[in-house]
Amino acid sequence: MSLNTQSLQPIINFIWSVADDVLINKFLENQYQDVILPMTVLRRLDLALEPSKDKVQKTFDDFKEKIDNLSGLLTSEQHGSGLAFYNTSKYTMKKLLADPKNIDANFLDYLNGFSENVQDIITKFKFRNQLETFQSTGITFSLIEKFCNPKVELSPEKISPMAMGYMFEDLIRRFNEKTNAAAGRHFTPREIIELMTHLVYLPVKDKIQQGTFLVYDPCAGSGAMLTQSKLFATNPEGEIKSKASFHLYGQENTGEMYAVCKSDMLLKGEDPDKIKFGSTLSEYGFPADLKFNFMLTNPPYGTSWKQDIDNLNVSSTKKVEINDKRFNLPIKNFKGELETTCLTSRSNDGQLMFMLHMLSKMKSPEDGGSRIASVHNGSALFTGDAGSGESGIRQYLIENDLLECIVQLPNDIFYNTGIATYVFLVTNVKEKKRKGKVQLINASSNVFYKKMRKPLGSKRNELIAEHIEAIQDLYFAFEETEYSKIFDNKDFGSYQITVHHPERDEKGNLIKDNKGKLKSDSSLKDTENVPMKESIVDYFNREVLPFAPDAWYDKSKIKVGYEIPFNKYFYQYEGVRSLKDIVADILVLEQETDGLLKEIIA
């Protein structure tokens, strides 16, 4: 019988999600398999032993003082598990959940209760090495609870050895891909750090020659952004040659990277106490009133911040509500009135939450202000409909005239991803010419990078000095070119209106409610995004009414939306290829494949 691999995907996907929900920020990505794979095996063994658990326990209690080697009894059909292995602990995985307070000690007892052949498996997995981390991060209960979820159906009766082999193969394949990504999550290529430091420091070069400045990375990783940015500013042979004091602050929530960062600070003569451990979003390690002059970071994107949400005490079932000043900010409704709104992104992508955190750490303009460089993927530009948290965060950034410039980087520039990435430049001390404006720079063209001789993970392209200089020249010129566009803040805003169409009966007559108003046909309901610079009435009269004369919109439910459709602004039309060229290419392909086809048939 062939294996229905599609039916296994929900289970594999759920097991895979355990890493993102429970292990994220507690383990490096390339260590996930050190937890997930042994836990998958242990749960499968656990389920196999569950039916005979009471019998095994009774046999063990009755004979442990009378017989030295109980293996034969405990594996027998009559007195034991009827399998080649057993567990003499009083716990099963499900029973461990009944005593959360003592779960770490009980889990160790549970592991020690397995028979010698399973102990060998546990040892080969080096699974006990993870237990201290489980306890120190408090995830033991969550991890076991996940594996006890009915969605993880791993019992031998339901999942055959062949199916289990496929599941492991698929999980290992995914983990191998993650392994290639792990270094990139914490290590930003040096040339990207160089570009970011140039764009952060050079515009204020003359203002940082003397004094004291605080530099911060809320997702410090190995600390490379901090140390490299200071080196750029203070290098006697560099472009700035600052004599000022730069104090480096950072926070990191992965233990191993935190240790690397802190030791690196020690080696470089920096203050290691200025590097804090824990999640920046829910366990911020510095005083709330501590502000920074410069901030540079590459926050995790496309990863869960669910644990932070839980830690921040969310008090709503329909919408995330967090009682934290960093994430409750005034934004305008469609009437132009300021409303304090809880701005939160989706639980599976916390990158914009780090932006809000950094905004809260900015020095006031009267105190010199702050400059921020932060790397994001495309999600930060456009994900989230009008009225969503992501849209609201962009709205706050732009309406408060904080967003200065966005640089699109070349694809395949990071070690862990080939997707498009963007450097956001944010400041509360814009130059006069930049006030009310946002500059977009498209540095994704091959004019701004060169191909690497040998790829490193997903990294196939790199910036060299001349590319960085070309990008910063575009920034300083602040002019419209093929690669640089300048927009008013309002160009990114829109009003979302819901367009209603009347409901009709079977005879085509309009249906009205008991107040005499036309009833809306929910199946025909649609939305329109009206550019903020345009009148809603004029737009509706021009774009909707000519095609639907009886349509209307609810003026009390207009939503404000902000997005930055980067690609639309730099789109270049490519003409359709001629039929002659297409036919020529097809003929070449036919010639190339003809010999191969004959070889296969033969």
Side-chain angles (χ1 to χ4, degrees):
M1 189 174 111
S2 63
L3 178 63
N4 182 6
T5 57
Q6 284 302 113
S7 67
L8 299 175
Q9 285 304 313
I11 308 173
I12 298 170
N13 291 339
F14 188 87
I15 293 173
W16 182 253
S17 75
V18 174
D20 283 335
D21 289 344
V22 180
L23 304 185
I24 187 151
N25 301 325
K26 309 299 188 300
F27 288 83
L28 294 171
E29 288 176 344
N30 62 345
Q31 294 176 318
Y32 287 175
Q33 67 186 52
D34 299 339
V35 176
I36 298 299
L37 297 183
M39 280 297 295
T40 302
V41 170
L42 288 171
R43 179 56 176 156
R44 184 166 166 82
L45 300 179
D46 185 70
L47 285 167
L49 293 174
E50 229 175 31
S52 61
K53 183 63 183 175
D54 292 339
K55 182 166 51 173
V56 169
Q57 193 66 48
K58 185 177 187 308
T59 300
F60 179 71
D61 290 338
D62 288 348
F63 294 98
K64 63 183 176 183
E65 302 296 335
K66 302 173 184 177
I67 304 175
D68 289 334
N69 188 349
L70 292 175
S71 183
L73 276 175
L74 295 175
T75 56
S76 68
E77 194 77 45
Q78 184 178 357
H79 299 287
S81 65
L83 301 168
F85 61 95
Y86 55 85
N87 188 313
T88 59
S89 166
K90 66 179 180 180
Y91 300 105
T92 62
M93 281 197 179
K94 281 187 177 179
K95 286 180 179 178
L96 286 168
L97 298 174
D99 186 8
K101 188 176 179 181
N102 298 303
I103 196 161
D104 291 290
N106 294 345
F107 188 43
L108 181 59
D109 180 83
Y110 168 78
L111 293 176
N112 291 341
F114 275 110
S115 52
E116 284 301 314
N117 47 12
V118 177
Q119 294 300 334
D120 186 51
I121 292 171
I122 295 170
T123 300
K124 293 294 190 296
F125 270 130
K126 298 181 180 177
F127 186 60
R128 284 188 175 82
N129 294 355
Q130 319 304 330
L131 300 186
E132 184 178 347
T133 306
F134 288 3
Q135 184 170 359
S136 63
T137 57
I139 63 168
T140 311
F141 184 91
S142 299
L143 184 64
I144 295 172
E145 186 182 47
K146 285 281 187 182
F147 275 90
C148 287
N149 190 301
K151 291 181 181 177
V152 187
E153 179 50 77
L154 297 172
S155 65
E157 293 80 16
K158 302 287 180 68
I159 303 295
S160 69
M162 183 169 68
M164 200 67 218
Y166 172 81
M167 289 173 65
F168 265 94
E169 184 179 323
D170 198 14
L171 284 168
I172 291 169
R173 176 187 60 79
R174 297 189 191 196
F175 283 126
N176 284 340
E177 291 175 359
K178 275 284 188 183
T179 299
N180 292 333
R185 184 171 182 267
H186 297 284
F187 183 73
T188 308
R190 186 171 292 263
E191 76 264 28
I192 303 303
I193 297 176
E194 189 175 342
L195 173 65
M196 292 168 72
T197 56
H198 283 216
L199 296 176
V200 162
Y201 288 118
L202 287 178
V204 290
K205 172 183 175 181
D206 295 336
K207 298 177 181 178
I208 59 172
Q209 291 300 316
Q210 303 289 336
T212 300
F213 299 95
L214 309 186
V215 188
Y216 174 57
D217 184 348
C219 310
S222 65
M225 282 200 183
L226 293 171
T227 55
Q228 291 304 309
S229 69
K230 178 175 180 176
L231 179 62
F232 174 69
T234 60
N235 184 357
E237 307 300 320
E239 295 181 60
I240 298 177
K241 302 180 179 67
S242 174
K243 299 286 199 305
S245 296
F246 287 82
H247 296 275
L248 307 182
Y249 293 77
Q251 185 154 348
E252 175 56 43
N253 60 357
T254 302
E256 292 79 0
M257 294 314 300
Y258 165 76
V260 169
C261 183
K262 199 158 187 174
S263 62
D264 196 42
M265 294 297 155
L266 277 170
L267 292 170
K268 287 183 167 64
E270 301 291 341
D271 182 357
D273 291 337
K274 289 186 171 66
I275 305 300
K276 302 295 184 182
F277 177 72
S279 171
T280 300
L281 298 182
S282 60
E283 304 169 66
Y284 179 53
F286 299 102
D289 60 353
L290 181 63
K291 310 291 183 180
F292 305 97
N293 303 90
F294 302 101
M295 290 172 260
L296 304 96
T297 196
N298 178 12
Y301 32 84
T303 57
S304 172
W305 68 292
K306 187 176 183 302
Q307 190 62 55
D308 290 297
I309 296 176
D310 295 340
N311 293 344
L312 287 166
N313 296 318
V314 177
S315 58
S316 173
T317 54
K318 292 184 178 179
K319 186 180 178 183
V320 173
E321 296 290 344
I322 295 173
N323 185 24
D324 189 309
K325 289 182 180 179
R326 293 175 297 169
F327 312 128
N328 288 271
L329 298 168
I331 57 174
K332 291 179 182 177
N333 59 24
F334 76 95
K335 295 178 182 177
E337 304 163 338
L338 285 174
E339 292 182 348
T340 298
T341 308
C342 182
L343 300 176
T344 55
S345 63
R346 294 159 300 146
S347 64
N348 63 355
D349 190 354
Q351 61 180 300
L352 282 174
M353 302 308 292
F354 289 96
M355 177 60 76
L356 286 185
H357 169 74
M358 288 188 292
L359 296 184
S360 74
K361 301 290 108 187
M362 296 179 90
K363 285 180 173 284
S364 68
E366 296 75 26
D367 198 22
S370 300
R371 291 184 62 77
I372 295 171
S374 184
V375 184
H376 297 272
N377 68 0
S379 175
L381 298 172
F382 48 74
T383 297
D385 206 357
S388 70
E390 288 97 337
S391 174
I393 294 169
R394 291 189 291 269
Q395 180 182 351
Y396 183 84
L397 261 178
I398 295 170
E399 285 188 346
N400 286 280
D401 205 17
L402 298 170
L403 184 59
E404 181 177 76
C405 179
I406 300 177
V407 179
Q408 180 175 355
L409 299 171
N411 287 7
D412 302 320
I413 198 76
F414 280 83
Y415 300 101
N416 62 333
T417 179
I419 63 173
T421 49
Y422 305 80
V423 176
F424 281 50
L425 294 172
V426 174
T427 183
N428 55 358
V429 282
K430 279 188 177 182
E431 291 179 81
K432 185 176 180 181
K433 67 180 180 181
R434 291 182 179 271
K435 289 187 181 295
K437 306 285 185 182
V438 175
Q439 182 182 18
L440 303 184
I441 296 175
N442 178 16
S444 65
S445 162
N446 59 12
V447 173
F448 299 99
Y449 68 86
K450 75 168 190 175
K451 288 283 181 186
M452 295 174 65
R453 187 175 58 83
K454 184 178 180 182
L456 291 173
S458 296
K459 182 173 176 60
R460 295 175 174 83
N461 301 321
E462 63 181 347
L463 309 182
I464 58 176
E466 66 187 58
H467 300 134
I468 294 171
E469 188 173 343
I471 295 168
Q472 70 188 45
D473 285 349
L474 287 172
Y475 168 85
F476 282 110
F478 193 62
E479 295 173 350
E480 290 264 346
T481 70
E482 181 183 357
Y483 302 111
S484 170
K485 306 292 181 187
I486 298 167
F487 298 89
D488 294 334
N489 287 343
K490 277 194 172 182
D491 287 330
F492 304 112
S494 63
Y495 297 112
Q496 187 180 85
I497 60 174
T498 302
V499 179
H500 295 271
H501 300 270
E503 209 170 307
R504 297 178 184 271
D505 61 20
E506 294 177 354
K507 296 181 180 179
N509 299 315
L510 295 172
I511 300 174
K512 297 183 178 180
D513 61 20
N514 52 16
K515 294 183 180 179
K517 292 184 178 180
L518 290 175
K519 292 191 75 173
S520 173
D521 187 338
S522 59
S523 66
L524 298 176
K525 192 160 55 173
D526 197 6
T527 59
E528 292 279 341
N529 292 321
V530 183
M532 196 168 279
K533 285 185 170 180
E534 192 168 344
S535 159
I536 295 176
V537 173
D538 291 347
Y539 178 94
F540 193 78
N541 290 341
R542 184 185 73 248
E543 299 293 336
V544 179
L545 290 183
F547 313 100
D550 48 10
W552 74 94
Y553 64 94
D554 189 340
K555 296 180 176 63
S556 66
K557 295 183 178 178
I558 300 172
K559 295 179 180 178
V560 175
Y562 272 80
E563 67 172 4
I564 307 168
F566 210 101
N567 291 337
K568 184 182 87 171
Y569 299 133
F570 290 97
Y571 173 75
Q572 290 185 335
Y573 173 75
E574 292 185 9
V576 178
R577 297 176 65 209
S578 69
L579 183 60
K580 182 180 178 182
D581 289 342
I582 295 171
V583 170
D585 283 350
I586 291 173
L587 289 173
V588 170
L589 285 171
E590 284 182 346
Q591 291 171 3
E592 289 177 351
T593 57
D594 184 51
L596 178 63
L597 183 61
K598 288 178 180 176
E599 184 180 331
I600 292 170
I601 294 172

